[in-house]
Amino acid sequence: MIIGSNNIESHNEQSLKKHQNKLVFTVSEIAESEAIIKKLIDFQIAIPSWALGTGGTRFGRFAGGGEPRSLEEKIEDVGLLHALNNSSGAISLHIPWDIPTDHNAIKTLAAQHNLKFDAVNSNTFQDQNNQEHTYKYGSLQNVNKAVRKQAVAHNIEVIQQGIALGSESLTVWLADGSSFPGQLNFRKAYQNTLESLEEIYAALPSNWKLFLEYKCAEPNFYSTTVADWGQSYSYVKKLGEKAQTLVDLGHHLPNANIEQIVSLLLMEGKLGGFHFNDSKYGDDDLTAGALKPYQLFLIFNELVEGMDARGMNHAKDLGWMIDASHNIKDPLEDLLQSVEAIMIAYAQALSVDRKALAIAQEENDVVRAQEILQNAFRTDVRALVAEARLRSGAALNPVELYRGLDVRRNLIDERGLKTMATGL
């Protein structure tokens, strides 16, 4: 299915007057509205290829119908999202879930949907068909050197796949760890992992980055080899300039101060990018901003301040991607909601009065500092986000248009009710 410009224009015409009334008020409230709108237009959030189908839990998976059956159909789905919001201009592939059979054809198809290829992701947390050695007891950390070599070779293969597609970064997430005390030697596990990462790092092209993700728990019950930002930082600091830490918002222990983490990583020049999502109890796969919108705003507040302090380009100098699982929602609707929440938090952070906040901090005016941040968070910036979409030819209300066009029903008619996308 293709959403044409006529569909978007017709939708926008019906909503334009109401939007313009909201925009007039919002602009009167926010002094830098025009500059914020321009930054919003430039800001893009990559969509992971594995998030386009229905996710699941260890208990079950309930497919919603019309899921993409191939990489080509996944690209088409991201193209639908990008047509609706003009903020989803990249797709991130997970190898071997999505291996192109014809790289040039895949690049051509992506270009037709105005998409680029974001980071490629390796997978050493599952055993694949015809795999010689198992990852049951870890991959890059494994006590068996042959297993480590196999995992390294896979990551290098992923880099080659990315080169063929025009990607410029590799994301490594490890399920390595232990489930029982005494199962492994922590120091040796660290050393094995570092040596493996060094081999992968050596295979990176000069213009590439390696993002090392971390997660406090899962799937192991006792220890995780890259469990927190400090451990990731320890590795990437040793690896070199092209290695950076990737922050997944759900990969922290309860009440972790993620905004402080990103501030310090930015200061050290080791923040590589983000995986956006949300969580309440365990795991990390809910719609971004669905549960902790204030935390998302506070994270963006530190990002904007830190990136501006370093003279960084907001849209290009960090990797921005959603990483979520849609167990009971339409995946495309969920992704549209996540992108909207991220853009709102970004716009709110851009609206913070930086000069006033700096003065309040210097004067230890705690109340004033809190008021400045909370006023920015409580200001409705949705009209600015919508105006950025309008100016870039996207829909004023993407979810409303998605439903108005009955996109999911069309996808079911094209692909069938029982299709199931690759991934978790």
Side-chain angles (χ1 to χ4, degrees):
M1 180 181 180
I2 295 176
I3 297 176
S5 58
N6 59 317
N7 298 123
I8 293 172
E9 289 170 3
S10 176
H11 162 81
N12 288 346
E13 284 177 9
Q14 297 172 19
S15 309
L16 189 59
K17 187 175 175 97
K18 186 176 180 181
H19 162 69
Q20 289 174 333
N21 291 337
K22 289 182 178 179
L23 183 65
V24 169
F25 175 76
T26 304
V27 169
S28 71
E29 291 285 297
I30 300 175
E32 302 297 326
S33 293
E34 189 62 30
I36 292 173
I37 291 169
K38 290 178 180 177
K39 281 187 166 65
L40 290 169
I41 291 172
D42 292 338
F43 201 74
Q44 297 293 314
I45 303 152
I47 304 298
S49 63
W50 61 93
L52 296 163
T54 307
T57 70
R58 67 191 68 188
F59 300 107
R61 181 179 183 186
F62 306 96
E67 294 190 13
R69 301 161 294 184
S70 64
L71 175 55
E72 287 81 1
E73 289 184 348
K74 290 183 178 185
I75 290 171
E76 291 169 5
D77 280 6
V78 179
L80 288 173
L81 297 175
H82 193 46
L84 287 166
N85 63 24
N86 201 50
S87 301
S88 308
I91 182 171
S92 180
L93 302 190
H94 218 301
I95 310 297
W97 292 340
D98 296 298
I99 299 179
T101 54
D102 185 333
H103 293 86
N104 288 331
I106 287 296
K107 288 171 67 177
T108 298
L109 178 62
Q112 290 171 355
H113 292 279
N114 298 314
L115 302 177
K116 297 179 180 179
F117 287 92
D118 198 68
V120 283
N121 302 259
S122 59
N123 181 338
T124 60
F125 52 85
Q126 290 178 322
D127 287 348
Q128 306 302 326
N129 293 333
N130 303 315
Q131 182 175 306
E132 183 177 0
H133 303 289
T134 181
Y135 295 132
K136 181 177 180 178
Y137 299 109
S139 58
L140 299 185
Q141 75 166 30
N142 202 292
V143 295
N144 186 337
K145 189 171 184 178
V147 178
R148 300 200 301 272
K149 288 290 185 182
Q150 176 181 272
V152 169
H154 167 68
N155 277 274
I156 293 174
E157 176 196 355
V158 173
I159 293 171
Q160 296 303 316
Q161 294 283 351
I163 291 171
L165 292 170
S167 175
E168 294 183 351
S169 54
L170 167 71
T171 297
V172 178
W173 175 73
L174 299 174
D176 293 12
S178 63
S179 289
F180 297 95
Q183 179 182 332
L184 58 76
N185 181 297
F186 294 144
R187 178 175 50 81
K188 289 182 180 178
Y190 179 96
Q191 291 171 337
N192 286 342
T193 303
L194 178 60
E195 289 174 7
S196 300
L197 287 169
E198 286 172 339
E199 292 186 52
I200 297 167
Y201 184 85
L204 290 174
S206 59
N207 63 324
W208 271 54
K209 294 178 181 178
L210 184 153
F211 297 147
L212 183 60
E213 196 170 352
Y214 60 88
K215 191 171 188 179
C216 60
E218 194 194 41
N220 294 288
F221 294 91
Y222 179 60
S223 73
T224 307
T225 298
V226 190
D228 56 35
W229 74 277
Q231 292 178 44
S232 175
Y233 177 79
S234 175
Y235 285 113
V236 299
K237 187 74 171 177
K238 291 180 174 67
L239 289 174
E241 291 184 0
K242 293 183 289 185
Q244 296 177 318
T245 291
L246 186 142
V247 176
D248 185 303
L249 298 189
H251 284 193
H252 302 83
L253 291 170
N255 299 317
N257 192 323
I258 303 174
E259 51 268 39
Q260 184 179 29
I261 292 170
V262 302
S263 176
L264 297 177
L265 285 171
L266 261 177
M267 182 181 69
E268 293 296 317
K270 281 298 184 181
L271 180 62
F274 274 84
H275 281 180
F276 292 101
N277 45 54
D278 212 334
S279 62
K280 176 64 174 177
Y281 300 112
D283 213 340
D284 57 309
D285 288 330
L286 296 181
T287 317
L291 292 169
K292 304 173 189 141
Y294 190 50
Q295 181 189 62
L296 185 59
F297 159 72
L298 292 174
I299 290 167
F300 263 108
N301 176 60
E302 297 300 333
L303 286 168
V304 169
E305 191 278 334
M307 293 184 78
D308 286 349
R310 294 177 62 84
M312 298 171 69
N313 184 304
H314 293 188
K316 297 178 180 179
D317 289 348
L318 291 180
W320 312 102
M321 196 186 86
I322 293 169
D323 185 6
S325 176
H326 323 289
N327 301 335
I328 57 175
K329 284 183 182 177
D330 179 324
L332 297 184
E333 290 186 344
D334 191 290
L335 289 163
L336 288 171
Q337 288 182 313
S338 281
V339 171
E340 177 81 354
I342 294 164
M343 299 299 278
I344 287 171
Y346 178 45
Q348 289 168 330
L350 290 171
S351 74
V352 171
D353 188 335
R354 298 283 157 198
K355 292 181 180 179
L357 181 59
I359 292 170
Q361 291 169 341
E362 289 296 323
E363 295 177 352
N364 290 317
D365 191 339
V366 181
V367 171
R368 179 63 180 146
Q370 179 183 342
E371 287 294 300
I372 290 168
L373 289 185
Q374 289 189 340
N375 284 340
F377 173 70
R378 290 166 177 162
T379 299
D380 189 351
V381 298
R382 288 177 295 177
L384 300 185
V385 176
E387 179 66 14
R389 283 197 297 269
L390 180 66
R391 294 188 190 183
S392 59
L396 282 170
N397 190 325
V399 172
E400 182 180 291
L401 179 55
Y402 178 91
R403 290 195 164 191
L405 294 174
D406 207 0
V407 173
R408 181 54 58 184
R409 172 51 53 190
N410 278 275
L411 292 176
I412 291 172
D413 290 343
E414 290 175 12
R415 301 170 182 173
L417 184 61
K418 299 297 183 180
T419 61
M420 190 171 290
T422 54
L424 289 176

